[in-house]
Amino acid sequence: WMPKLVLEDISVTDLLYQSDTSTLFYASEEGYIRKVKLDNDHEVDESVPKEDIATNLGNPCQLAIDSSRQQLYVAIRLGKILRIDLAPPYRQRLIIQRPSRSRVESL
């Protein structure tokens, strides 16, 4: 027996698994957070499309989840932390931003 591999042309920087919803979240250097549903065998459920819950984030590098509030926290290189609601429309809120002398980078 060999597990199926999820092959995508991306550089994953962090991932986390939410066991109560069997959902895998992962961040990529390409600037997005993707949500993937797993089936009972803990393989990708092909009947549920993969979904990008955030894009153009720069370089998201670490994820944390608050399952009780259904919110994902994303650390982005250059000193930003973003909170994303895990239900559509996936509202985002910047909660920490390191001040920049030259300019404030927009999301």
Side-chain angles (χ1 to χ4, degrees):
W1 179 84
M2 284 292 293
K4 290 180 188 169
L5 298 177
V6 181
L7 296 177
E8 295 189 48
D9 188 20
I10 58 167
S11 300
V12 173
T13 55
D14 197 21
L15 58 87
L16 61 81
Y17 179 68
Q18 186 180 32
S19 58
D20 55 330
T21 62
S22 299
T23 304
L24 184 68
F25 297 90
Y26 56 93
S28 79
E29 277 183 6
E30 290 75 14
Y32 61 82
I33 310 296
R34 183 162 285 168
K35 174 174 136 180
V36 178
K37 186 82 168 161
L38 301 185
D39 62 19
N40 292 337
D41 296 323
H42 298 285
E43 294 183 2
V44 175
D45 185 345
E46 300 295 346
S47 69
V48 179
K50 296 174 187 165
E51 188 172 7
D52 289 351
I53 63 171
T55 58
N56 300 317
L57 293 182
N59 191 345
C61 57
Q62 195 163 8
L63 302 175
I65 197 164
D66 181 344
S67 290
S68 63
R69 295 178 135 191
Q70 287 298 294
Q71 293 175 325
L72 187 69
Y73 292 86
V74 182
I76 300 170
R77 294 205 198 289
L78 304 176
K80 293 189 268 192
I81 297 180
L82 188 68
R83 184 178 66 217
I84 302 173
D85 292 342
L86 290 178
Y90 304 115
R91 283 192 312 270
Q92 300 179 11
R93 180 175 167 89
L94 189 62
I95 58 172
I96 294 176
Q97 178 165 333
R98 184 182 71 198
S100 170
R101 288 190 189 129
S102 59
R103 62 186 170 94
V104 175
E105 292 196 6
S106 64
L107 294 174

